Amino acid sequence: MIAASEILSIISDGTFIERVFSKDADWDDELDARDEAEFAEAWSSSYDKLEAMHPSEDAVMREIRETVFKQTFRITQSPELAGYASDDFGLIAKAFDHKIDIEFVNNLWDSYTKGSFPR
């Protein structure tokens, strides 16, 4: 697992987020797919587990979330999509920084590193 500071460095290069979101995709369909029970429940249970163990975010995690939101919004002009991506990266950063191994969170990171929006 990498640290939150390393995630910040990766996403700050300007190309990481662009690889994921500079596609001709139906982002509404992508977001709808995430509302299906299996994905939504896995996301929520991962979030709840991390919040119970570490309820606060540090400055680096907040910067990651802000950077992802701004870059995603700049590319897609969708505040909803930018919010989802920001939340994903907040979850990833918190799990990785605290060295908490959650398969679902690892899969989120894998999707992003492969240039895909997780669904």
Side-chain angles (χ1 to χ4, degrees), residues 1 14 25 27-28 36 41 44-45 51 54 80 92 94 109 113 115:
M1 281 185 200
W27 295 114
D28 289 332
E36 292 179 15
E41 289 170 11
S44 293
S45 71
E51 282 299 298
H54 301 282
E80 185 178 13
I92 293 164
K94 186 175 281 192
W109 177 245
T113 60

Side-chain angles (χ1 to χ4, degrees), residues 8-113:
L8 181 58
S9 177
I10 290 167
I11 63 170
S12 294
D13 77 354
T15 62
F16 186 89
I17 298 298
E18 197 164 304
R19 278 196 344 259
V20 176
F21 294 106
S22 321
K23 299 177 176 152
D24 188 22
D26 185 336
W27 295 114
D28 289 332
D29 282 349
E30 296 290 318
L31 292 174
D32 288 345
R34 291 175 60 126
D35 289 337
E36 292 179 15
E38 185 179 347
F39 188 94
E41 289 170 11
W43 200 101
S44 293
S45 71
S46 298
Y47 175 84
D48 291 344
K49 179 178 182 177
L50 286 168
E51 282 299 298
M53 298 167 78
H54 301 282
S56 63
E57 290 183 333
D58 65 20
V60 173
M61 290 177 202
R62 285 189 299 277
E63 188 173 352
I64 288 168
R65 290 172 51 85
E66 181 179 347
T67 299
V68 170
F69 184 92
K70 287 179 177 178
Q71 287 184 17
T72 304
F73 182 77
R74 179 184 52 79
I75 296 164
T76 66
Q77 296 300 298
S78 170
E80 185 178 13
L81 183 60
Y84 275 67
S86 174
D87 289 347
D88 286 351
F89 275 86
L91 196 67
I92 293 164
K94 186 175 281 192
F96 285 15
D97 213 47
H98 293 291
K99 297 180 181 17
I100 300 168
D101 189 20
I102 300 173
E103 183 180 3
F104 178 79
V105 176
N106 296 337
N107 291 338
L108 285 178
W109 177 245
D110 287 343
S111 288
Y112 281 110
T113 60

